[in-house]
Short mmCIF file of all heavy atoms in Angstrom, two decimals:
data_model
loop_
_atom_site.label_atom_id
_atom_site.label_comp_id
_atom_site.label_asym_id
_atom_site.label_seq_id
_atom_site.Cartn_x
_atom_site.Cartn_y
_atom_site.Cartn_z
N ALA W 65 -6.05 12.44 -17.20
CA ALA W 65 -6.69 13.55 -16.48
C ALA W 65 -5.71 14.69 -16.27
O ALA W 65 -6.04 15.86 -16.50
CB ALA W 65 -7.23 13.06 -15.14
N VAL W 66 -4.50 14.36 -15.85
CA VAL W 66 -3.48 15.39 -15.63
C VAL W 66 -3.07 16.04 -16.94
O VAL W 66 -2.86 17.25 -17.01
CB VAL W 66 -2.26 14.79 -14.90
CG1 VAL W 66 -1.11 15.79 -14.87
CG2 VAL W 66 -2.65 14.38 -13.48
N SER W 67 -2.98 15.25 -17.98
CA SER W 67 -2.62 15.80 -19.29
C SER W 67 -3.70 16.75 -19.80
O SER W 67 -3.40 17.78 -20.41
CB SER W 67 -2.41 14.67 -20.30
OG SER W 67 -1.34 13.84 -19.91
N ALA W 68 -4.97 16.40 -19.53
CA ALA W 68 -6.07 17.25 -20.00
C ALA W 68 -6.12 18.57 -19.24
O ALA W 68 -6.41 19.62 -19.83
CB ALA W 68 -7.40 16.51 -19.84
N SER W 69 -5.82 18.53 -17.94
CA SER W 69 -5.88 19.75 -17.13
C SER W 69 -4.75 19.72 -16.10
O SER W 69 -4.94 19.28 -14.97
CB SER W 69 -7.24 19.86 -16.43
OG SER W 69 -7.33 21.05 -15.68
N PRO W 70 -3.56 20.18 -16.48
CA PRO W 70 -2.40 20.10 -15.60
C PRO W 70 -2.54 20.88 -14.29
O PRO W 70 -1.79 20.63 -13.35
CB PRO W 70 -1.27 20.71 -16.46
CG PRO W 70 -1.74 20.55 -17.87
CD PRO W 70 -3.22 20.71 -17.82
N THR W 71 -3.50 21.80 -14.21
CA THR W 71 -3.67 22.58 -12.98
C THR W 71 -4.71 21.97 -12.05
O THR W 71 -5.06 22.58 -11.04
CB THR W 71 -4.09 24.02 -13.32
OG1 THR W 71 -5.31 24.01 -14.08
CG2 THR W 71 -3.01 24.73 -14.12
N ASP W 72 -5.21 20.80 -12.37
CA ASP W 72 -6.20 20.15 -11.50
C ASP W 72 -5.48 19.45 -10.34
O ASP W 72 -4.76 18.48 -10.54
CB ASP W 72 -7.03 19.14 -12.29
CG ASP W 72 -8.21 18.63 -11.49
OD1 ASP W 72 -7.99 17.84 -10.56
OD2 ASP W 72 -9.35 19.03 -11.80
N VAL W 73 -5.68 19.98 -9.15
CA VAL W 73 -4.96 19.46 -7.97
C VAL W 73 -5.40 18.05 -7.62
O VAL W 73 -4.56 17.19 -7.30
CB VAL W 73 -5.19 20.41 -6.77
CG1 VAL W 73 -4.48 19.88 -5.53
CG2 VAL W 73 -4.70 21.81 -7.09
N ARG W 76 -3.78 15.39 -9.80
CA ARG W 76 -2.37 15.15 -9.48
C ARG W 76 -2.22 14.38 -8.17
O ARG W 76 -1.36 13.50 -8.04
CB ARG W 76 -1.61 16.48 -9.41
CG ARG W 76 -1.37 17.11 -10.77
CD ARG W 76 -0.37 18.23 -10.71
NE ARG W 76 -0.11 18.82 -12.01
CZ ARG W 76 0.79 18.37 -12.87
NH1 ARG W 76 1.51 17.31 -12.56
NH2 ARG W 76 0.98 18.97 -14.03
N ALA W 98 3.85 18.99 -7.28
CA ALA W 98 3.13 19.87 -8.20
C ALA W 98 1.78 20.26 -7.60
O ALA W 98 1.33 21.40 -7.73
CB ALA W 98 2.93 19.17 -9.55
N LEU W 102 0.37 24.03 -6.60
CA LEU W 102 -0.91 24.55 -7.07
C LEU W 102 -1.82 24.98 -5.93
O LEU W 102 -2.62 25.91 -6.08
CB LEU W 102 -1.62 23.48 -7.92
CG LEU W 102 -1.00 23.18 -9.28
CD1 LEU W 102 -1.59 21.89 -9.85
CD2 LEU W 102 -1.24 24.34 -10.25
#
Side-chain angles (χ1 to χ4, degrees):
V66 171
S67 298
S69 182
T71 58
D72 190 286
V73 179
R76 287 193 179 273
L102 290 166

